[in-house]
Amino acid sequence: MKFRQFKRLACLTGLLGTLGLAIAQPTQTVKVGLIGPLTGPSADFGIPMANGAKLAVDEINAAGGYLGRPIELVIRDDTANPDMGLKMSQELVKEQVIATVGFCNTGVALKSLEVYQTAKTPLIVPCATGTPITTKYPAPESYIFRTSARDAIQAPFVVDDIVARGWTRVAVFADKTGYGEAGLQDVVKALAAKNLKPVYISRFDLGVKDLQAELKEAQAANANVVFSYTVGPELATIARGRADLKWSVPQVGPWPLSFPSFIDGAKGAAEGALTSQTFIAEPSNERRSSFISAYARKYKTKNMGVPMAAAQAYDSVYLLTYAILGIRSGDLSGPNVKNALENMSKVYYGVTATHENPFSKDDKDAVTPNMLVMGMVKNGAVTFAYPEDRTRNLFVQRKK
């Protein structure tokens, strides 16, 4: 990280001299939980999520941590299994973490929310996008925050785009998880706002290997676009099935269409897929260029796997740190951390957005529709679907 970035973070503690005095004292780590699918079917975005968080912690600790106390990640693997996620969440609370960054899968998150809410331990969700995650509890009392784009804004964003392209006969393919169910509802609602209804809906279990029969039914219904809502290899199953039928309608959807399980699994059939994104791994400005370079150096790879997962987790850790740096007393109790997140006084110039007052007592979602861009799968990677979005992306958006 460049010196000015070190200095910017260090100045948040008051003065560099004060930070130096704090470092000279005996230190106790500040424990922050990190939970996600580090193994199993969703590891393709769980690992980038964890890597982004670790990169942020390294940078923050190099700048002095929290008043000289290093941040320590307490990491748990939920394996994309709701029961495992619940067990691991209970362990994190017992570890007395001040907050937790985590969850990639909506269904896994939903089963664990009560653990954090009951313990009054803030949870910042960097990846899972199911709308119900931040609506389960009344916002003023909720300890559940999020830095990913909820499906309630992703679905309308994609619907607006496909309608503008003249694709109004929509077939929806959604899995039977909490993610698929919530996403389907958001798509139906977004279409209804355009006075449209899906011409066909398919529900399927995770792990399905063949959706040919369902695709034929969608084709018979004269669908001219397939809107897919699932997170794993099933996306590739849909794409390959379309290719086998020689049915050349486009496939669109939220951010999982940027995952390796889709792009690598579908190969040529993934080309042209359109997906909503908060971050595309192209060095469109200094912040993003710095993040991409730092990630490549730390992990010795130019391929993040799922760049959004890495960038959003990175920003989540920084937002938490910026918030707690406002707690000068050192009392990092859950209610104090919650209040700090809701009343951040410093602007965080992040990778995915410029976060100025990202959360409040009445709003626990940091991402608004203006932060989204449309991505397109091209030559095995995600790039900007529109040249104007590449230009707009030079300027990091703020919450509206």
Side-chain angles (χ1 to χ4, degrees), residues 4-320:
R4 59 178 172 273
Q5 292 173 292
F6 279 113
K7 186 176 179 181
R8 185 182 69 203
L9 181 61
C11 283
L12 287 174
T13 67
L15 295 169
L16 288 170
T18 301
L19 180 57
L21 289 174
I23 293 173
Q25 304 302 316
T27 58
Q28 180 183 7
T29 63
V30 175
K31 292 184 178 181
V32 174
L34 178 68
I35 185 169
L38 307 181
T39 60
S42 295
D44 61 346
F45 62 124
I47 291 173
M49 179 203 75
N51 286 347
K54 291 174 185 176
L55 175 60
V57 167
D58 284 354
E59 294 176 354
I60 291 163
N61 285 341
Y66 169 71
L67 303 181
R69 295 169 59 187
I71 306 296
E72 176 191 352
L73 285 179
V74 182
I75 302 173
R76 293 292 184 270
D77 180 7
D78 65 32
T79 71
N81 180 291
D83 292 329
M84 182 61 73
L86 178 61
K87 179 182 178 183
M88 295 296 103
S89 293
Q90 292 166 339
E91 287 189 7
L92 287 172
V93 168
K94 287 180 181 177
E95 286 274 354
Q96 297 184 318
V97 297
I98 66 156
T100 291
V101 173
F103 293 114
C104 290
N105 306 89
T106 294
V108 181
L110 288 173
K111 189 154 187 177
S112 292
L113 296 184
E114 187 175 355
V115 173
Y116 300 96
Q117 186 69 17
T118 301
K120 295 185 177 180
T121 300
L123 170 69
I124 304 176
V125 181
C127 291
T129 58
T131 300
I133 289 173
T134 45
T135 60
K136 182 172 182 178
Y137 304 106
E141 290 82 42
S142 180
Y143 279 75
I144 313 303
F145 299 79
R146 174 161 47 192
T147 57
S148 57
R150 65 194 184 278
D151 292 321
I153 65 173
Q154 285 196 73
F157 179 79
V158 177
V159 166
D160 285 348
D161 186 72
I162 63 176
V163 170
R165 293 170 181 263
W167 304 333
T168 57
R169 297 189 60 80
V170 184
V172 185
F173 281 66
D175 66 39
K176 294 180 182 178
T177 66
Y179 174 70
E181 177 61 33
L184 171 61
Q185 293 180 21
D186 285 326
V187 173
V188 170
K189 184 177 179 180
L191 287 170
K194 302 288 186 181
N195 296 314
L196 297 171
K197 294 181 179 180
V199 297
Y200 178 78
I201 295 175
S202 170
R203 303 301 307 281
F204 52 87
D205 294 317
L206 290 184
V208 65
K209 303 297 183 184
D210 185 357
L211 288 167
Q212 283 279 15
E214 291 83 355
L215 287 163
K216 287 179 181 178
E217 290 179 12
Q219 188 178 31
N222 293 318
N224 59 8
V225 62
V226 172
F227 203 130
S228 50
Y229 244 101
T230 187
V231 297
E234 297 78 17
L235 290 167
T237 299
I238 295 168
R240 291 194 305 268
R242 288 188 300 102
D244 290 343
L245 290 175
K246 294 182 170 48
W247 189 31
S248 59
V249 297
Q251 186 170 343
V252 304
W255 74 301
L257 287 174
S258 66
F259 293 8
S261 56
F262 171 66
I263 296 175
D264 298 341
K267 300 188 184 301
E271 287 291 296
L274 296 168
T275 172
S276 54
Q277 301 281 287
T278 60
F279 171 70
I280 290 175
E282 296 181 11
S284 52
N285 60 41
E286 186 178 359
R287 287 183 229 169
R288 294 183 175 122
S289 179
S290 177
F291 169 70
I292 292 168
S293 297
Y295 191 101
R297 286 194 304 271
K298 181 173 176 62
Y299 299 108
K300 297 179 174 55
T301 179
K302 294 182 179 180
N303 183 5
M304 292 187 195
V306 181
M308 274 180 64
Q312 288 168 179
Y314 176 91
D315 281 351
S316 296
V317 172
Y318 263 104
L319 283 172
L320 174 62

